[in-house]
Amino acid sequence: HLALFYKFETTDGHEVSLTGAHNIPIYDRRAQRVKIIRSADVTMQDQLILRGRRVTLRNISTHAAQGFYSPLTLSSYLMVNEILTHVFSDK
């Protein structure tokens, strides 16, 4: 079946697509700290984390797609296209 994905594109050309229920670490500039939030809750004011640095978003879009993969890791983190992601979702 089709699922709604959020595609995050960074200003330096990286991108990742996650379902809205998947969690992702972001840097919240207002709170000045890293938070783990649902992909559906990421805003253009948040920054993604790439190998120890923060990067701003150029665009957030949605698209429907079929099939996705959710691996498990010992740390619960995963690098996808150089972007730090979280392997858990809230569904």
Side-chain angles (χ1 to χ4, degrees), residues 43-55:
T43 70
M44 292 296 292
Q45 288 72 42
D46 297 320
Q47 294 178 316
L48 298 186
I49 300 170
L50 278 77
R51 293 199 182 259
R53 65 186 176 93
R54 302 182 311 252
V55 65

PDB file of all heavy atoms in Angstrom, residues 43-55:
ATOM      1  N   THR A  43      10.129  21.459  10.577  1.00  0.00           N
ATOM      2  CA  THR A  43       9.803  22.710   9.901  1.00  0.00           C
ATOM      3  C   THR A  43      11.050  23.270   9.223  1.00  0.00           C
ATOM      4  O   THR A  43      12.171  22.828   9.492  1.00  0.00           O
ATOM      5  CB  THR A  43       9.259  23.763  10.882  1.00  0.00           C
ATOM      6  OG1 THR A  43      10.333  24.195  11.734  1.00  0.00           O
ATOM      7  CG2 THR A  43       8.100  23.208  11.712  1.00  0.00           C
ATOM      8  N   MET A  44      10.859  24.278   8.414  1.00  0.00           N
ATOM      9  CA  MET A  44      11.976  24.909   7.722  1.00  0.00           C
ATOM     10  C   MET A  44      12.921  25.622   8.701  1.00  0.00           C
ATOM     11  O   MET A  44      14.058  25.910   8.354  1.00  0.00           O
ATOM     12  CB  MET A  44      11.462  25.896   6.674  1.00  0.00           C
ATOM     13  CG  MET A  44      10.756  25.235   5.507  1.00  0.00           C
ATOM     14  SD  MET A  44      11.844  24.164   4.534  1.00  0.00           S
ATOM     15  CE  MET A  44      12.956  25.373   3.805  1.00  0.00           C
ATOM     16  N   GLN A  45      12.486  25.888   9.916  1.00  0.00           N
ATOM     17  CA  GLN A  45      13.345  26.530  10.910  1.00  0.00           C
ATOM     18  C   GLN A  45      14.292  25.526  11.577  1.00  0.00           C
ATOM     19  O   GLN A  45      15.276  25.927  12.199  1.00  0.00           O
ATOM     20  CB  GLN A  45      12.500  27.224  11.986  1.00  0.00           C
ATOM     21  CG  GLN A  45      11.813  28.489  11.499  1.00  0.00           C
ATOM     22  CD  GLN A  45      10.663  28.196  10.546  1.00  0.00           C
ATOM     23  OE1 GLN A  45       9.880  27.280  10.775  1.00  0.00           O
ATOM     24  NE2 GLN A  45      10.575  28.944   9.470  1.00  0.00           N
ATOM     25  N   ASP A  46      14.005  24.231  11.461  1.00  0.00           N
ATOM     26  CA  ASP A  46      14.856  23.204  12.043  1.00  0.00           C
ATOM     27  C   ASP A  46      16.076  22.968  11.152  1.00  0.00           C
ATOM     28  O   ASP A  46      16.067  23.299   9.979  1.00  0.00           O
ATOM     29  CB  ASP A  46      14.083  21.893  12.196  1.00  0.00           C
ATOM     30  CG  ASP A  46      12.909  22.018  13.143  1.00  0.00           C
ATOM     31  OD1 ASP A  46      13.046  22.699  14.183  1.00  0.00           O
ATOM     32  OD2 ASP A  46      11.846  21.450  12.839  1.00  0.00           O
ATOM     33  N   GLN A  47      17.107  22.393  11.733  1.00  0.00           N
ATOM     34  CA  GLN A  47      18.301  22.019  10.978  1.00  0.00           C
ATOM     35  C   GLN A  47      18.494  20.519  11.098  1.00  0.00           C
ATOM     36  O   GLN A  47      18.251  19.934  12.156  1.00  0.00           O
ATOM     37  CB  GLN A  47      19.539  22.744  11.507  1.00  0.00           C
ATOM     38  CG  GLN A  47      19.493  24.238  11.292  1.00  0.00           C
ATOM     39  CD  GLN A  47      20.718  24.918  11.882  1.00  0.00           C
ATOM     40  OE1 GLN A  47      21.139  24.611  12.988  1.00  0.00           O
ATOM     41  NE2 GLN A  47      21.276  25.850  11.146  1.00  0.00           N
ATOM     42  N   LEU A  48      18.948  19.888  10.006  1.00  0.00           N
ATOM     43  CA  LEU A  48      19.273  18.466  10.043  1.00  0.00           C
ATOM     44  C   LEU A  48      20.726  18.304  10.467  1.00  0.00           C
ATOM     45  O   LEU A  48      21.525  19.234  10.363  1.00  0.00           O
ATOM     46  CB  LEU A  48      19.041  17.825   8.677  1.00  0.00           C
ATOM     47  CG  LEU A  48      17.603  17.858   8.153  1.00  0.00           C
ATOM     48  CD1 LEU A  48      17.495  17.047   6.866  1.00  0.00           C
ATOM     49  CD2 LEU A  48      16.613  17.362   9.178  1.00  0.00           C
ATOM     50  N   ILE A  49      21.064  17.113  10.913  1.00  0.00           N
ATOM     51  CA  ILE A  49      22.406  16.856  11.419  1.00  0.00           C
ATOM     52  C   ILE A  49      23.132  15.950  10.436  1.00  0.00           C
ATOM     53  O   ILE A  49      22.662  14.865  10.116  1.00  0.00           O
ATOM     54  CB  ILE A  49      22.336  16.215  12.817  1.00  0.00           C
ATOM     55  CG1 ILE A  49      21.604  17.185  13.752  1.00  0.00           C
ATOM     56  CG2 ILE A  49      23.716  15.864  13.333  1.00  0.00           C
ATOM     57  CD1 ILE A  49      21.255  16.612  15.084  1.00  0.00           C
ATOM     58  N   LEU A  50      24.268  16.434   9.947  1.00  0.00           N
ATOM     59  CA  LEU A  50      25.099  15.700   9.002  1.00  0.00           C
ATOM     60  C   LEU A  50      26.488  15.510   9.596  1.00  0.00           C
ATOM     61  O   LEU A  50      27.224  16.472   9.770  1.00  0.00           O
ATOM     62  CB  LEU A  50      25.253  16.477   7.693  1.00  0.00           C
ATOM     63  CG  LEU A  50      24.131  16.367   6.684  1.00  0.00           C
ATOM     64  CD1 LEU A  50      22.959  17.203   7.076  1.00  0.00           C
ATOM     65  CD2 LEU A  50      24.641  16.736   5.324  1.00  0.00           C
ATOM     66  N   ARG A  51      26.820  14.289   9.940  1.00  0.00           N
ATOM     67  CA  ARG A  51      28.166  13.951  10.430  1.00  0.00           C
ATOM     68  C   ARG A  51      28.775  15.015  11.336  1.00  0.00           C
ATOM     69  O   ARG A  51      29.827  15.587  11.041  1.00  0.00           O
ATOM     70  CB  ARG A  51      29.094  13.674   9.267  1.00  0.00           C
ATOM     71  CG  ARG A  51      28.719  12.439   8.505  1.00  0.00           C
ATOM     72  CD  ARG A  51      29.881  11.928   7.678  1.00  0.00           C
ATOM     73  NE  ARG A  51      29.483  10.774   6.921  1.00  0.00           N
ATOM     74  CZ  ARG A  51      29.769   9.535   7.277  1.00  0.00           C
ATOM     75  NH1 ARG A  51      30.440   9.296   8.368  1.00  0.00           N
ATOM     76  NH2 ARG A  51      29.378   8.530   6.528  1.00  0.00           N
ATOM     77  N   GLY A  52      28.066  15.326  12.410  1.00  0.00           N
ATOM     78  CA  GLY A  52      28.602  16.239  13.400  1.00  0.00           C
ATOM     79  C   GLY A  52      28.415  17.715  13.119  1.00  0.00           C
ATOM     80  O   GLY A  52      28.918  18.555  13.857  1.00  0.00           O
ATOM     81  N   ARG A  53      27.714  18.064  12.082  1.00  0.00           N
ATOM     82  CA  ARG A  53      27.430  19.478  11.812  1.00  0.00           C
ATOM     83  C   ARG A  53      25.949  19.640  11.505  1.00  0.00           C
ATOM     84  O   ARG A  53      25.264  18.677  11.209  1.00  0.00           O
ATOM     85  CB  ARG A  53      28.293  20.009  10.664  1.00  0.00           C
ATOM     86  CG  ARG A  53      28.010  19.378   9.331  1.00  0.00           C
ATOM     87  CD  ARG A  53      29.011  19.870   8.279  1.00  0.00           C
ATOM     88  NE  ARG A  53      28.803  19.188   7.033  1.00  0.00           N
ATOM     89  CZ  ARG A  53      28.025  19.633   6.053  1.00  0.00           C
ATOM     90  NH1 ARG A  53      27.388  20.775   6.186  1.00  0.00           N
ATOM     91  NH2 ARG A  53      27.881  18.949   4.933  1.00  0.00           N
ATOM     92  N   ARG A  54      25.490  20.865  11.589  1.00  0.00           N
ATOM     93  CA  ARG A  54      24.087  21.152  11.316  1.00  0.00           C
ATOM     94  C   ARG A  54      23.972  21.825   9.953  1.00  0.00           C
ATOM     95  O   ARG A  54      24.841  22.593   9.549  1.00  0.00           O
ATOM     96  CB  ARG A  54      23.527  22.071  12.390  1.00  0.00           C
ATOM     97  CG  ARG A  54      23.666  21.484  13.777  1.00  0.00           C
ATOM     98  CD  ARG A  54      23.062  22.361  14.837  1.00  0.00           C
ATOM     99  NE  ARG A  54      23.449  23.750  14.780  1.00  0.00           N
ATOM    100  CZ  ARG A  54      24.262  24.365  15.626  1.00  0.00           C
ATOM    101  NH1 ARG A  54      24.809  23.683  16.601  1.00  0.00           N
ATOM    102  NH2 ARG A  54      24.530  25.634  15.507  1.00  0.00           N
ATOM    103  N   VAL A  55      22.866  21.547   9.265  1.00  0.00           N
ATOM    104  CA  VAL A  55      22.654  22.154   7.952  1.00  0.00           C
ATOM    105  C   VAL A  55      21.192  22.579   7.828  1.00  0.00           C
ATOM    106  O   VAL A  55      20.292  21.914   8.341  1.00  0.00           O
ATOM    107  CB  VAL A  55      23.070  21.185   6.814  1.00  0.00           C
ATOM    108  CG1 VAL A  55      22.190  19.966   6.778  1.00  0.00           C
ATOM    109  CG2 VAL A  55      23.102  21.880   5.477  1.00  0.00           C
TER     110      VAL A  55
END
